[in-house]
Amino acid sequence: MAVDVSRALRGVSVNIKAAVARREGSLPALTPRLVAVSKTKPPAMVMEAYCHGQRHFGENYVQELVTKASNTQILSDCPEIKWHFVGHLQKSNVSKLMGTPNLFMIETIDSIKLADKVNLTWQKKKASERLKVMVQVNTSGEEKSGFGSAPEHLSVVEHNARRVLNLEFTGLMTIGRYGYDLSQGPNPDFQKLSGHRKEVCAKLDLPLDKVELSMGMSTDYAHAIEVGATSVRVGSIIFGEREYPNTPKSSQSTQGVEEAKEKMEGLTVSAN
């Protein structure tokens, strides 16, 4: 079934504006950033979204990001594209990732050692600007990347903000648990990340609007914006259901929590 990327983007935009209107006045008045996650989708779909005004795109796997970002047609036809890496990053893949054209941000820094590796590799690249990074926080306690306690993530945030010269700390990121029932109230994972931002701002003497929150995907991005998200990562609503032609069905279920969360992505636009 063909996907109407233009229509999908318009629907997500409408939902984002409505969510912003429902946001508490005490939250920073930041316009949320939409990161369109094009995982498993061809470069043609990225270019189609770009033609309809989308500029920020995300990928979960280093090789897929490098391949798409290096595509000659994307390079020529999408000069303002900004790539976000939103998956787990191993230190062994840092050098490969740093070679990505138009790399804008890494959202998943989860250790001081990784931050140092990224910092050193970006320095060797001799880029004209610092690389934007976020620190990933594990707010759900599930087995996933990120820091689970305040002392841990505060130390990494301080390290990124004050001790690495080639990286620009921009905020905190979380995946959160899959399938949270919003009828039970606000998502506690999102509330935790918001609380961690307050801790970070107090420790580093930063205003709240200088520390972003990347949280919310296709099943819950509107709610995430309502409670303070400044960046949301939306995939299948825009590009259609993920396709893994060379992956046995038995192993697709092990792709991680973020994979599972996007099984239901086609429901959000129509539900809102």
Side-chain angles (χ1 to χ4, degrees):
M1 181 177 178
V3 177
D4 189 335
V5 172
S6 174
R7 180 180 178 184
L9 282 171
R10 289 197 302 270
V12 172
S13 178
V14 167
N15 286 343
I16 288 176
K17 290 178 181 178
V20 169
R22 297 191 296 268
R23 200 162 51 183
E24 292 183 7
S26 60
L27 292 169
L30 295 172
T31 301
R33 176 196 301 114
L34 171 62
V35 178
V37 181
S38 54
K39 181 171 52 180
T40 79
K41 299 302 178 180
M45 295 191 80
V46 172
M47 290 185 285
E48 183 179 0
Y50 184 94
C51 287
H52 291 291
Q54 182 62 27
R55 291 296 181 267
H56 292 267
F57 293 83
E59 289 292 341
N60 290 72
Y61 303 110
V62 171
Q63 186 57 55
E64 186 170 7
L65 174 55
V66 172
T67 299
K68 285 181 186 173
S70 302
N71 179 279
T72 54
Q73 196 165 356
I74 288 181
L75 286 171
S76 63
D77 295 351
C78 309
E80 297 178 356
I81 197 167
K82 296 176 174 62
W83 289 103
H84 294 237
F85 184 74
V86 298
H88 176 61
L89 178 59
Q90 298 179 330
K91 291 191 292 292
S92 59
N93 284 328
V94 167
S95 295
K96 181 185 294 185
L97 180 62
M98 293 299 98
T100 304
N102 299 307
L103 181 63
F104 180 78
M105 182 185 294
I106 298 176
E107 297 197 15
T108 50
I109 297 296
D110 62 2
S111 73
I112 288 177
K113 289 183 178 180
L114 178 60
D116 286 341
K117 176 73 171 180
V118 172
N119 179 65
L120 180 60
T121 309
W122 192 253
Q123 180 182 20
K124 291 178 179 178
K125 184 181 172 71
K126 296 183 178 180
S128 59
E129 297 181 353
R130 293 187 295 167
L131 176 64
K132 298 179 187 298
V133 298
M134 289 188 175
V135 171
Q136 183 176 358
V137 181
N138 183 344
T139 54
S140 67
E142 299 169 318
E143 291 187 9
K144 56 170 73 83
S145 301
F147 299 96
S149 68
E152 287 181 321
H153 73 253
L154 282 173
S155 65
V156 178
V157 167
E158 185 173 18
H159 186 79
N160 278 276
R162 293 178 173 173
R163 299 178 186 176
V164 290
L165 300 179
N166 303 289
L167 307 182
E168 179 185 348
F169 168 71
T170 63
L172 305 174
M173 176 268 205
T174 194
I175 295 175
R177 73 198 71 189
Y178 168 65
Y180 176 74
D181 183 359
L182 291 177
S183 69
Q184 302 299 312
N187 189 322
D189 295 327
F190 297 162
Q191 290 183 314
K192 285 180 183 178
L193 196 69
S194 182
H196 291 323
R197 175 170 64 178
K198 292 178 181 177
E199 295 167 351
V200 165
C201 290
K203 184 174 180 62
L204 300 181
D205 193 26
L206 295 172
L208 286 179
D209 61 2
K210 295 300 182 183
V211 178
E212 294 193 40
L213 296 180
S214 175
M215 58 189 191
M217 292 182 280
S218 291
T219 57
D220 52 15
Y221 71 92
H223 172 64
I225 290 170
E226 289 179 35
V227 297
T230 64
S231 186
V232 291
R233 310 178 302 275
V234 181
S236 296
I237 283 179
I238 298 171
F239 297 110
E241 195 70 25
R242 305 293 186 208
E243 298 174 1
Y244 300 96
N246 299 318
T247 305
K249 289 185 178 180
S250 59
S251 64
Q252 286 187 23
S253 60
T254 64
Q255 292 294 327
V257 174
E258 194 156 356
E259 291 289 315
K261 290 188 76 170
E262 299 200 359
K263 297 291 185 182
M264 299 172 61
E265 286 181 338
L267 302 177
T268 305
V269 170
S270 59
N272 288 298

